[in-house]
Amino acid sequence: MDTVQIEITDACVFRCGNCTRFCGSKKPFYMEMDYYRRAVDSMVGYPNMVGIMGGEPLLHPQFAEICDYALATLGKKHLGLWSTFPAGYEHHRDTICRTFDYIFLNDHSRGDIFHSPILVSSDHVFRNDPENPLRWQLINDCWVQNTWSASINPKGAFFCEVAASLSMLFDGPAGWPVEPGWWRRMPWQYGEQIEWACRRCGCAMPLQRRSSQDERDDVSPDNLIQLGLVKSKKVAAGDVVVHEAPQLVSKGELAYHQAYKDTAWRQTVAAKYGIFLEVTDRGFWRPHLQKCISAASRPSAFAEMQAKYQ
Ligand code: SF4
Ligand code: SF4
């Protein structure tokens, strides 16, 4: 995998529909520093990227200390940050540029970013034909597993970041112990976690996606019962859409869900913190400080010329 995430909190300033961390559903956690240091230590030797992620990681009260420890232990070229750049946390911009070689920004300020219906379970989608081999073919081809990350959260280490947050949400089984080299496991060792998580998850199912700005979650009746048991705040608030008979669509009919990769738009998000982004040879976004926030917020020379001569 390209990245392993360390999820330091599931608190967020938003409560997007079908959030992969189920923000707004439960009381948030803030990772304890001893456990966090163990998580970072376990990644020593990992050749790719370690992500600091949430929820919104900047909301962690020890964010600066978290950055310092990761930088000293793993080195800048192995560190990425996933953030919305929330208002009121701009003072972290120096720390961010000093610590991370990559930042992945998505402040959900555009409506064309879509989220998969995670809580429409594959168990329910295939309720009438549970032995249908298509189900496990789809799971084997899950886009999250193919393109996103493994993860460490307070429950342990997981092969899939969504499996990790499902386990947090449903008080599910613990992950693997957070110990050096846990990430060397191979897919044939994922069986127990796949068996527990992928049955409850809808990400691998070609089901229509929802705009992230819609704060409701799509759920299947079996997961609705489980959400009741864990006293989901979103269920209590009526912010769920229950799918009794979810319909698979062709992959071509699915809403495009990666509009957040638009570099020009990401520059505008970064500019809120007085940061500009350089696209690296790996296609990621490296942060640099602008001299001052107002300079970063100004339109580029190109945009000024375009406005003048159009
Ligand atoms: S910004 Fe991200 S973490 Fe926060 S609620 Fe939205 S999807 Fe979830
Ligand atoms: S839990 Fe399974 S189905 Fe869900 S995103 Fe992870 S790999 Fe895909």
Side-chain angles (χ1 to χ4, degrees):
M1 280 183 165
D2 219 31
T3 306
V4 173
Q5 303 287 1
I6 301 178
E7 309 197 10
I8 59 173
T9 179
D10 60 357
C12 190
V13 291
F14 297 114
R15 55 197 302 281
C16 304
N18 294 336
C19 166
T20 56
R21 272 48 180 187
F22 311 113
C23 295
S25 294
K26 286 177 85 176
K27 186 170 175 235
F29 71 83
Y30 297 90
M31 190 176 271
E32 303 274 344
M33 285 307 287
D34 282 352
Y35 184 87
Y36 167 74
R37 281 188 279 268
R38 190 143 53 87
V40 172
D41 293 349
S42 79
M43 298 311 299
V44 171
Y46 184 66
N48 300 325
M49 192 186 339
V50 174
I52 300 299
M53 191 168 184
E56 172 48 67
L58 271 61
L59 300 190
H60 195 295
Q62 285 147 303
F63 179 74
E65 198 183 325
I66 279 170
C67 291
D68 289 347
Y69 190 77
L71 183 61
T73 310
L74 300 173
K76 181 172 180 167
K77 76 176 172 130
H78 291 295
L79 291 173
L81 173 72
W82 273 246
S83 176
T84 65
F85 274 11
Y89 295 81
E90 295 82 356
H91 57 281
H92 285 310
R93 70 192 200 108
D94 297 76
T95 304
I96 290 168
C97 291
R98 184 173 68 242
T99 308
F100 299 100
D101 208 29
Y102 311 103
I103 57 173
F104 294 76
L105 294 174
N106 181 359
D107 69 354
H108 295 274
S109 57
R110 49 193 288 173
D112 60 350
I113 293 169
F114 290 86
H115 288 169
S116 294
I118 301 167
L119 290 173
V120 176
S121 73
S122 68
D123 261 352
H124 185 71
V125 170
F126 282 91
R127 66 200 175 284
N128 298 325
D129 191 8
E131 302 307 320
N132 189 331
L134 174 64
R135 182 222 194 145
W136 289 101
Q137 282 169 20
L138 289 168
I139 288 172
N140 195 43
D141 193 28
C142 176
W143 65 270
V144 177
Q145 177 59 193
N146 287 339
T147 59
W148 285 16
S149 313
S151 171
I152 301 172
N153 72 13
K155 289 193 77 86
F158 291 82
F159 80 106
C160 163
E161 53 189 292
V162 173
S165 57
L166 280 167
S167 189
M168 283 298 293
L169 176 69
F170 288 140
D171 296 331
W176 299 313
V178 178
E179 57 195 13
W182 67 264
W183 40 269
R184 292 187 193 279
R185 284 179 175 79
M186 304 296 285
W188 61 268
Q189 296 170 292
Y190 300 174
E192 215 172 305
Q193 292 192 1
I194 289 174
E195 182 63 26
W196 185 84
C198 301
R199 286 183 176 282
R200 290 164 170 78
C201 180
C203 282
M205 303 292 111
L207 296 165
Q208 206 44 272
R209 295 164 172 149
R210 181 175 295 280
S211 169
S212 63
Q213 290 186 339
D214 181 331
E215 296 192 343
R216 296 170 301 168
D217 288 349
D218 296 291
V219 302
S220 50
D222 52 347
N223 276 338
L224 184 65
I225 292 169
Q226 298 302 316
L227 288 168
L229 295 177
V230 296
K231 300 189 171 35
S232 159
K233 292 184 191 171
K234 276 205 163 179
V235 172
D239 287 336
V240 291
V241 179
V242 182
H243 296 264
E244 297 286 346
Q247 296 296 316
L248 296 185
V249 298
S250 73
K251 287 195 178 175
E253 290 173 86
L254 289 174
Y256 177 66
H257 64 299
Q258 294 190 328
Y260 55 81
K261 288 190 171 173
D262 173 350
T263 296
W265 173 70
R266 279 188 156 161
Q267 293 285 15
T268 65
V269 180
K272 291 191 295 185
Y273 271 36
I275 286 173
F276 71 92
L277 304 173
E278 169 200 355
V279 181
T280 70
D281 49 3
R282 291 177 64 193
F284 295 145
W285 294 267
R286 180 176 292 140
H288 298 278
L289 280 181
Q290 294 273 9
K291 287 212 170 101
C292 63
I293 290 184
S294 61
S297 306
R298 275 205 310 264
S300 66
F302 177 74
E304 280 175 358
M305 296 292 275
Q306 214 177 15
K308 190 167 172 188
Y309 294 109
Q310 251 178 0

mmCIF file of all heavy atoms in Angstrom, residues 131-161:
data_model
loop_
_atom_site.group_PDB
_atom_site.id
_atom_site.type_symbol
_atom_site.label_atom_id
_atom_site.label_comp_id
_atom_site.label_asym_id
_atom_site.label_seq_id
_atom_site.Cartn_x
_atom_site.Cartn_y
_atom_site.Cartn_z
ATOM 1 N N GLU A 131 -24.803 -16.879 -1.204
ATOM 2 C CA GLU A 131 -23.672 -17.654 -1.743
ATOM 3 C C GLU A 131 -23.243 -17.158 -3.117
ATOM 4 O O GLU A 131 -22.339 -17.718 -3.731
ATOM 5 C CB GLU A 131 -24.052 -19.142 -1.848
ATOM 6 C CG GLU A 131 -24.485 -19.781 -0.536
ATOM 7 C CD GLU A 131 -23.465 -19.583 0.571
ATOM 8 O OE1 GLU A 131 -22.254 -19.680 0.288
ATOM 9 O OE2 GLU A 131 -23.879 -19.295 1.714
ATOM 10 N N ASN A 132 -23.897 -16.142 -3.628
ATOM 11 C CA ASN A 132 -23.562 -15.637 -4.967
ATOM 12 C C ASN A 132 -22.074 -15.227 -5.008
ATOM 13 O O ASN A 132 -21.653 -14.340 -4.246
ATOM 14 C CB ASN A 132 -24.454 -14.435 -5.283
ATOM 15 C CG ASN A 132 -24.325 -13.993 -6.728
ATOM 16 O OD1 ASN A 132 -23.278 -14.174 -7.344
ATOM 17 N ND2 ASN A 132 -25.396 -13.415 -7.261
ATOM 18 N N PRO A 133 -21.259 -15.855 -5.883
ATOM 19 C CA PRO A 133 -19.822 -15.528 -5.889
ATOM 20 C C PRO A 133 -19.534 -14.085 -6.289
ATOM 21 O O PRO A 133 -18.467 -13.555 -5.980
ATOM 22 C CB PRO A 133 -19.237 -16.502 -6.924
ATOM 23 C CG PRO A 133 -20.386 -17.047 -7.689
ATOM 24 C CD PRO A 133 -21.617 -16.891 -6.851
ATOM 25 N N LEU A 134 -20.510 -13.403 -6.917
ATOM 26 C CA LEU A 134 -20.295 -12.010 -7.322
ATOM 27 C C LEU A 134 -19.963 -11.140 -6.101
ATOM 28 O O LEU A 134 -19.150 -10.221 -6.186
ATOM 29 C CB LEU A 134 -21.549 -11.472 -8.031
ATOM 30 C CG LEU A 134 -21.504 -9.988 -8.387
ATOM 31 C CD1 LEU A 134 -20.383 -9.696 -9.399
ATOM 32 C CD2 LEU A 134 -22.857 -9.511 -8.941
ATOM 33 N N ARG A 135 -20.592 -11.459 -4.991
ATOM 34 C CA ARG A 135 -20.382 -10.629 -3.797
ATOM 35 C C ARG A 135 -18.904 -10.599 -3.403
ATOM 36 O O ARG A 135 -18.317 -9.527 -3.200
ATOM 37 C CB ARG A 135 -21.230 -11.192 -2.664
ATOM 38 C CG ARG A 135 -21.144 -10.399 -1.400
ATOM 39 C CD ARG A 135 -21.044 -11.333 -0.248
ATOM 40 N NE ARG A 135 -21.277 -10.645 0.976
ATOM 41 C CZ ARG A 135 -21.892 -11.172 2.013
ATOM 42 N NH1 ARG A 135 -22.370 -12.371 1.943
ATOM 43 N NH2 ARG A 135 -22.010 -10.485 3.108
ATOM 44 N N TRP A 136 -18.272 -11.747 -3.330
ATOM 45 C CA TRP A 136 -16.878 -11.764 -2.896
ATOM 46 C C TRP A 136 -15.945 -11.314 -4.016
ATOM 47 O O TRP A 136 -14.855 -10.809 -3.756
ATOM 48 C CB TRP A 136 -16.503 -13.126 -2.305
ATOM 49 C CG TRP A 136 -17.197 -13.277 -0.981
ATOM 50 C CD1 TRP A 136 -18.326 -13.988 -0.728
ATOM 51 C CD2 TRP A 136 -16.861 -12.617 0.248
ATOM 52 N NE1 TRP A 136 -18.716 -13.827 0.590
ATOM 53 C CE2 TRP A 136 -17.829 -12.987 1.215
ATOM 54 C CE3 TRP A 136 -15.843 -11.743 0.644
ATOM 55 C CZ2 TRP A 136 -17.800 -12.533 2.537
ATOM 56 C CZ3 TRP A 136 -15.814 -11.295 1.959
ATOM 57 C CH2 TRP A 136 -16.790 -11.672 2.890
ATOM 58 N N GLN A 137 -16.406 -11.458 -5.263
ATOM 59 C CA GLN A 137 -15.615 -10.873 -6.367
ATOM 60 C C GLN A 137 -15.582 -9.358 -6.221
ATOM 61 O O GLN A 137 -14.538 -8.717 -6.387
ATOM 62 C CB GLN A 137 -16.231 -11.238 -7.727
ATOM 63 C CG GLN A 137 -15.935 -12.648 -8.194
ATOM 64 C CD GLN A 137 -16.785 -13.034 -9.397
ATOM 65 O OE1 GLN A 137 -17.312 -12.181 -10.108
ATOM 66 N NE2 GLN A 137 -16.928 -14.330 -9.592
ATOM 67 N N LEU A 138 -16.751 -8.775 -5.923
ATOM 68 C CA LEU A 138 -16.801 -7.307 -5.756
ATOM 69 C C LEU A 138 -15.934 -6.870 -4.574
ATOM 70 O O LEU A 138 -15.193 -5.888 -4.658
ATOM 71 C CB LEU A 138 -18.251 -6.858 -5.540
ATOM 72 C CG LEU A 138 -19.171 -6.935 -6.759
ATOM 73 C CD1 LEU A 138 -20.634 -6.757 -6.354
ATOM 74 C CD2 LEU A 138 -18.786 -5.882 -7.793
ATOM 75 N N ILE A 139 -16.007 -7.620 -3.485
ATOM 76 C CA ILE A 139 -15.204 -7.264 -2.301
ATOM 77 C C ILE A 139 -13.711 -7.397 -2.624
ATOM 78 O O ILE A 139 -12.897 -6.562 -2.237
ATOM 79 C CB ILE A 139 -15.625 -8.130 -1.096
ATOM 80 C CG1 ILE A 139 -17.007 -7.678 -0.612
ATOM 81 C CG2 ILE A 139 -14.596 -8.062 0.024
ATOM 82 C CD1 ILE A 139 -17.639 -8.557 0.438
ATOM 83 N N ASN A 140 -13.376 -8.447 -3.363
ATOM 84 C CA ASN A 140 -11.973 -8.639 -3.730
ATOM 85 C C ASN A 140 -11.456 -7.484 -4.587
ATOM 86 O O ASN A 140 -10.268 -7.178 -4.590
ATOM 87 C CB ASN A 140 -11.831 -9.961 -4.490
ATOM 88 C CG ASN A 140 -10.394 -10.401 -4.590
ATOM 89 O OD1 ASN A 140 -9.653 -10.316 -3.619
ATOM 90 N ND2 ASN A 140 -9.982 -10.824 -5.764
ATOM 91 N N ASP A 141 -12.388 -6.827 -5.283
ATOM 92 C CA ASP A 141 -12.033 -5.724 -6.178
ATOM 93 C C ASP A 141 -12.383 -4.372 -5.542
ATOM 94 O O ASP A 141 -12.563 -3.382 -6.235
ATOM 95 C CB ASP A 141 -12.805 -5.911 -7.496
ATOM 96 C CG ASP A 141 -12.280 -5.000 -8.592
ATOM 97 O OD1 ASP A 141 -11.088 -4.645 -8.553
ATOM 98 O OD2 ASP A 141 -13.076 -4.619 -9.474
ATOM 99 N N CYS A 142 -12.488 -4.336 -4.213
ATOM 100 C CA CYS A 142 -12.950 -3.108 -3.535
ATOM 101 C C CYS A 142 -12.020 -1.928 -3.854
ATOM 102 O O CYS A 142 -10.804 -2.000 -3.646
ATOM 103 C CB CYS A 142 -12.971 -3.350 -2.027
ATOM 104 S SG CYS A 142 -13.408 -1.867 -1.106
ATOM 105 N N TRP A 143 -12.598 -0.830 -4.311
ATOM 106 C CA TRP A 143 -11.768 0.329 -4.699
ATOM 107 C C TRP A 143 -11.050 0.929 -3.493
ATOM 108 O O TRP A 143 -9.959 1.490 -3.625
ATOM 109 C CB TRP A 143 -12.617 1.377 -5.435
ATOM 110 C CG TRP A 143 -13.684 2.021 -4.590
ATOM 111 C CD1 TRP A 143 -14.968 1.606 -4.423
ATOM 112 C CD2 TRP A 143 -13.534 3.180 -3.763
ATOM 113 N NE1 TRP A 143 -15.624 2.424 -3.543
ATOM 114 C CE2 TRP A 143 -14.789 3.404 -3.131
ATOM 115 C CE3 TRP A 143 -12.480 4.049 -3.499
ATOM 116 C CZ2 TRP A 143 -15.001 4.460 -2.249
ATOM 117 C CZ3 TRP A 143 -12.702 5.109 -2.610
ATOM 118 C CH2 TRP A 143 -13.943 5.305 -1.999
ATOM 119 N N VAL A 144 -11.655 0.820 -2.306
ATOM 120 C CA VAL A 144 -10.988 1.359 -1.109
ATOM 121 C C VAL A 144 -9.723 0.561 -0.830
ATOM 122 O O VAL A 144 -8.645 1.118 -0.617
ATOM 123 C CB VAL A 144 -11.933 1.308 0.116
ATOM 124 C CG1 VAL A 144 -11.223 1.805 1.363
ATOM 125 C CG2 VAL A 144 -13.178 2.134 -0.141
ATOM 126 N N GLN A 145 -9.858 -0.748 -0.859
ATOM 127 C CA GLN A 145 -8.700 -1.598 -0.575
ATOM 128 C C GLN A 145 -7.623 -1.424 -1.653
ATOM 129 O O GLN A 145 -6.433 -1.464 -1.367
ATOM 130 C CB GLN A 145 -9.154 -3.066 -0.484
ATOM 131 C CG GLN A 145 -8.063 -4.064 -0.264
ATOM 132 C CD GLN A 145 -7.258 -3.850 1.011
ATOM 133 O OE1 GLN A 145 -6.207 -4.446 1.164
ATOM 134 N NE2 GLN A 145 -7.719 -3.020 1.924
ATOM 135 N N ASN A 146 -8.073 -1.178 -2.883
ATOM 136 C CA ASN A 146 -7.101 -1.045 -3.974
ATOM 137 C C ASN A 146 -6.406 0.312 -4.005
ATOM 138 O O ASN A 146 -5.299 0.411 -4.541
ATOM 139 C CB ASN A 146 -7.785 -1.286 -5.328
ATOM 140 C CG ASN A 146 -8.105 -2.754 -5.519
ATOM 141 O OD1 ASN A 146 -7.504 -3.608 -4.877
ATOM 142 N ND2 ASN A 146 -9.060 -3.059 -6.396
ATOM 143 N N THR A 147 -7.049 1.347 -3.476
ATOM 144 C CA THR A 147 -6.466 2.683 -3.664
ATOM 145 C C THR A 147 -6.251 3.456 -2.363
ATOM 146 O O THR A 147 -5.550 4.464 -2.366
ATOM 147 C CB THR A 147 -7.339 3.551 -4.595
ATOM 148 O OG1 THR A 147 -8.642 3.666 -4.024
ATOM 149 C CG2 THR A 147 -7.438 2.942 -5.980
ATOM 150 N N TRP A 148 -6.888 3.045 -1.273
ATOM 151 C CA TRP A 148 -6.702 3.780 -0.025
ATOM 152 C C TRP A 148 -5.717 3.035 0.883
ATOM 153 O O TRP A 148 -4.770 2.458 0.389
ATOM 154 C CB TRP A 148 -8.056 4.023 0.667
ATOM 155 C CG TRP A 148 -8.889 5.095 0.015
ATOM 156 C CD1 TRP A 148 -8.724 5.615 -1.236
ATOM 157 C CD2 TRP A 148 -10.013 5.765 0.575
ATOM 158 N NE1 TRP A 148 -9.680 6.564 -1.484
ATOM 159 C CE2 TRP A 148 -10.492 6.680 -0.399
ATOM 160 C CE3 TRP A 148 -10.683 5.694 1.787
ATOM 161 C CZ2 TRP A 148 -11.599 7.506 -0.170
ATOM 162 C CZ3 TRP A 148 -11.777 6.509 2.015
ATOM 163 C CH2 TRP A 148 -12.234 7.415 1.043
ATOM 164 N N SER A 149 -5.988 3.008 2.163
ATOM 165 C CA SER A 149 -4.906 2.697 3.101
ATOM 166 C C SER A 149 -5.292 1.682 4.166
ATOM 167 O O SER A 149 -6.461 1.513 4.504
ATOM 168 C CB SER A 149 -4.498 3.979 3.826
ATOM 169 O OG SER A 149 -4.333 5.018 2.901
ATOM 170 N N ALA A 150 -4.253 1.076 4.726
ATOM 171 C CA ALA A 150 -4.389 0.371 5.995
ATOM 172 C C ALA A 150 -4.369 1.422 7.105
ATOM 173 O O ALA A 150 -4.090 2.599 6.838
ATOM 174 C CB ALA A 150 -3.237 -0.610 6.176
ATOM 175 N N SER A 151 -4.634 1.007 8.330
ATOM 176 C CA SER A 151 -4.842 2.045 9.335
ATOM 177 C C SER A 151 -4.609 1.559 10.760
ATOM 178 O O SER A 151 -4.827 0.390 11.067
ATOM 179 C CB SER A 151 -6.288 2.529 9.170
ATOM 180 O OG SER A 151 -6.655 3.375 10.192
ATOM 181 N N ILE A 152 -4.196 2.515 11.593
ATOM 182 C CA ILE A 152 -4.127 2.279 13.046
ATOM 183 C C ILE A 152 -5.112 3.239 13.707
ATOM 184 O O ILE A 152 -5.050 4.455 13.467
ATOM 185 C CB ILE A 152 -2.726 2.586 13.610
ATOM 186 C CG1 ILE A 152 -1.663 1.722 12.936
ATOM 187 C CG2 ILE A 152 -2.700 2.386 15.121
ATOM 188 C CD1 ILE A 152 -0.236 2.122 13.322
ATOM 189 N N ASN A 153 -6.006 2.709 14.515
ATOM 190 C CA ASN A 153 -6.846 3.575 15.354
ATOM 191 C C ASN A 153 -6.816 3.004 16.776
ATOM 192 O O ASN A 153 -6.055 2.061 17.035
ATOM 193 C CB ASN A 153 -8.259 3.726 14.745
ATOM 194 C CG ASN A 153 -9.114 2.484 14.867
ATOM 195 O OD1 ASN A 153 -8.786 1.552 15.607
ATOM 196 N ND2 ASN A 153 -10.216 2.454 14.148
ATOM 197 N N PRO A 154 -7.568 3.565 17.715
ATOM 198 C CA PRO A 154 -7.435 3.079 19.098
ATOM 199 C C PRO A 154 -7.746 1.595 19.292
ATOM 200 O O PRO A 154 -7.396 1.019 20.323
ATOM 201 C CB PRO A 154 -8.429 3.961 19.872
ATOM 202 C CG PRO A 154 -8.478 5.223 19.082
ATOM 203 C CD PRO A 154 -8.380 4.800 17.642
ATOM 204 N N LYS A 155 -8.371 0.973 18.312
ATOM 205 C CA LYS A 155 -8.676 -0.456 18.458
ATOM 206 C C LYS A 155 -7.568 -1.352 17.934
ATOM 207 O O LYS A 155 -7.663 -2.575 18.014
ATOM 208 C CB LYS A 155 -9.991 -0.783 17.749
ATOM 209 C CG LYS A 155 -11.196 -0.210 18.473
ATOM 210 C CD LYS A 155 -12.472 -0.787 17.960
ATOM 211 C CE LYS A 155 -12.699 -2.178 18.495
ATOM 212 N NZ LYS A 155 -13.358 -2.219 19.805
ATOM 213 N N GLY A 156 -6.528 -0.764 17.331
ATOM 214 C CA GLY A 156 -5.429 -1.588 16.818
ATOM 215 C C GLY A 156 -5.124 -1.268 15.364
ATOM 216 O O GLY A 156 -5.446 -0.180 14.874
ATOM 217 N N ALA A 157 -4.504 -2.227 14.687
ATOM 218 C CA ALA A 157 -4.116 -2.034 13.290
ATOM 219 C C ALA A 157 -5.026 -2.878 12.397
ATOM 220 O O ALA A 157 -5.371 -4.015 12.741
ATOM 221 C CB ALA A 157 -2.662 -2.450 13.101
ATOM 222 N N PHE A 158 -5.380 -2.298 11.241
ATOM 223 C CA PHE A 158 -6.350 -2.942 10.349
ATOM 224 C C PHE A 158 -5.856 -2.902 8.908
ATOM 225 O O PHE A 158 -5.178 -1.947 8.508
ATOM 226 C CB PHE A 158 -7.699 -2.215 10.426
ATOM 227 C CG PHE A 158 -8.404 -2.389 11.745
ATOM 228 C CD1 PHE A 158 -8.069 -1.592 12.829
ATOM 229 C CD2 PHE A 158 -9.383 -3.354 11.918
ATOM 230 C CE1 PHE A 158 -8.704 -1.739 14.061
ATOM 231 C CE2 PHE A 158 -10.028 -3.516 13.141
ATOM 232 C CZ PHE A 158 -9.694 -2.700 14.212
ATOM 233 N N PHE A 159 -6.290 -3.899 8.143
ATOM 234 C CA PHE A 159 -5.873 -3.969 6.732
ATOM 235 C C PHE A 159 -6.512 -2.864 5.911
ATOM 236 O O PHE A 159 -6.031 -2.529 4.832
ATOM 237 C CB PHE A 159 -6.244 -5.334 6.132
ATOM 238 C CG PHE A 159 -7.694 -5.460 5.718
ATOM 239 C CD1 PHE A 159 -8.037 -5.440 4.374
ATOM 240 C CD2 PHE A 159 -8.702 -5.576 6.656
ATOM 241 C CE1 PHE A 159 -9.366 -5.546 3.980
ATOM 242 C CE2 PHE A 159 -10.034 -5.686 6.267
ATOM 243 C CZ PHE A 159 -10.369 -5.673 4.927
ATOM 244 N N CYS A 160 -7.616 -2.293 6.426
ATOM 245 C CA CYS A 160 -8.397 -1.318 5.647
ATOM 246 C C CYS A 160 -8.879 -0.230 6.596
ATOM 247 O O CYS A 160 -9.367 -0.524 7.696
ATOM 248 C CB CYS A 160 -9.582 -2.032 5.010
ATOM 249 S SG CYS A 160 -10.884 -0.933 4.432
ATOM 250 N N GLU A 161 -8.772 1.035 6.164
ATOM 251 C CA GLU A 161 -9.158 2.140 7.036
ATOM 252 C C GLU A 161 -10.657 2.134 7.340
ATOM 253 O O GLU A 161 -11.077 2.543 8.430
ATOM 254 C CB GLU A 161 -8.722 3.479 6.437
ATOM 255 C CG GLU A 161 -9.163 3.720 5.018
ATOM 256 C CD GLU A 161 -8.494 4.965 4.428
ATOM 257 O OE1 GLU A 161 -8.793 6.069 4.876
ATOM 258 O OE2 GLU A 161 -7.677 4.815 3.500
#
